[in-house]
Amino acid sequence: MTVVDFHARLVPGATEPENLLAVMDAAGIDRAAISAGGLIPLDRLAAQIDEGGRAEAAADNEGVRRAARRSGGRLLPFFFADPVNDLSTYRSEAVDFKGLEISPAVHGGRLDDPSVHDLVAVAETAGHPVYLVTVARPGAGPRDLARLAGRFPRVTFVWGHCGHHGLGLAGLDVLAGCPNVLAEISGCLTVTARRAVTRLGVGRVLFGTEYPLQAPAVELCKVDALGLDPAGRSAVLGGNARRVLGEEIR
């Protein structure tokens, strides 16, 4: 079985991506989808999740691209886009990436904003999945993601962490009727991950780690705690990611 981490972050510093690859080896993770990390301090991110706000913070997408090239194919780069500033860059560089991330927690805004729609339209053309964590603010919650997914039925959306607070049961109910939305379960409670399997089906659930904020072993234990049969466990740990990413992994 090939294990694919659908959500890890590449943090700034000279120790990456070697440290990430070493952590993956220790945990038995074969490949990982990576986005830029460290855009804003964690205290500010936590405050923005609770209170709102926008950071004029540019992601090091070029660093992510370089790290992926150095990884021998093990790291799959996602473009982390600020809807206000990054449309033209994403459009011109999409061919070098495997997916798109949009973050209302970092960059603020609403999912019905035309700038978000423009980014998703580029992702549709590129064949990219769109990773997105909803937050409890007008225009950026699960119902807003459901409407966005309905507007772009040919795009696969990945609901990061099953929402921002670990207990996104209501969000799962909202998104269950959106077949092009999958749930990524890093950081959420086991009860939420189990509900994701029940409500969405095992084919719509993705393993992730949220490295370096979470220890991969914790997330692997959570998958084990779900009590999946071998086929379901294989799907969550890698098969679904392979399908979403269009990756042939030997």
Side-chain angles (χ1 to χ4, degrees):
M1 178 177 61
T2 299
V3 178
V4 183
D5 175 358
F6 201 87
H7 186 62
R9 293 207 179 276
L10 189 79
V11 296
T15 62
E16 298 293 4
E18 288 73 21
N19 192 61
L20 169 56
L21 292 168
V23 169
M24 290 166 59
D25 288 340
I29 296 170
D30 299 289
R31 303 185 86 180
I34 59 169
S35 294
L39 275 71
I40 59 176
L42 287 178
D43 287 347
R44 180 175 178 184
L45 177 60
Q48 288 192 182
I49 289 172
D50 287 343
E51 302 167 9
R54 166 178 166 77
E56 293 285 346
D60 184 12
N61 292 306
E62 178 56 31
V64 167
R65 178 165 52 183
R66 287 196 306 268
R69 287 174 175 169
R70 290 167 52 192
S71 72
R74 296 186 65 190
L75 303 180
L76 306 167
F78 272 49
F79 189 100
F80 195 156
D82 176 353
V84 174
N85 296 316
D86 289 336
L87 175 62
S88 61
T89 304
Y90 176 50
R91 182 183 286 121
S92 65
E93 298 181 2
V95 67
D96 293 329
F97 291 85
K98 294 292 186 179
L100 170 69
E101 178 175 4
I102 301 169
S103 176
V106 173
H107 293 123
R110 300 173 56 98
L111 300 185
D112 57 4
D113 191 285
S115 62
V116 171
H117 293 173
D118 289 343
L119 282 171
V120 176
V122 175
E124 180 177 34
T125 300
H128 286 171
V130 177
Y131 184 93
L132 194 154
V133 181
T134 57
V135 293
R137 293 202 300 275
R143 292 190 184 279
D144 304 292
L145 175 55
R147 284 188 281 269
L148 182 63
R151 183 183 179 96
F152 292 94
R154 292 183 294 181
V155 175
T156 298
F157 292 86
V158 177
W159 187 37
H161 314 318
C162 292
H164 72 284
H165 56 67
L167 192 63
L169 304 183
L172 285 169
D173 289 341
V174 168
L175 295 168
C178 303
N180 58 326
V181 178
L182 282 71
E184 184 270 319
I185 59 174
S186 68
C188 72
L189 298 175
T190 305
V191 67
T192 307
R194 188 172 289 118
R195 180 75 67 88
V197 171
T198 302
R199 291 293 284 123
L200 305 186
V202 73
R204 290 173 58 191
V205 178
L206 297 162
F207 163 71
T209 68
E210 187 56 68
Y211 169 91
L213 299 185
Q214 179 76 302
V218 174
E219 296 300 329
L220 288 165
C221 285
K222 183 163 63 185
V223 174
D224 288 342
L226 298 179
L228 302 172
D229 63 26
R233 186 172 185 274
S234 179
V236 170
L237 284 177
N240 296 335
R242 292 170 63 179
R243 183 184 73 247
V244 169
L245 294 165
E247 286 290 313
E248 288 294 330
I249 303 175
R250 296 177 176 83

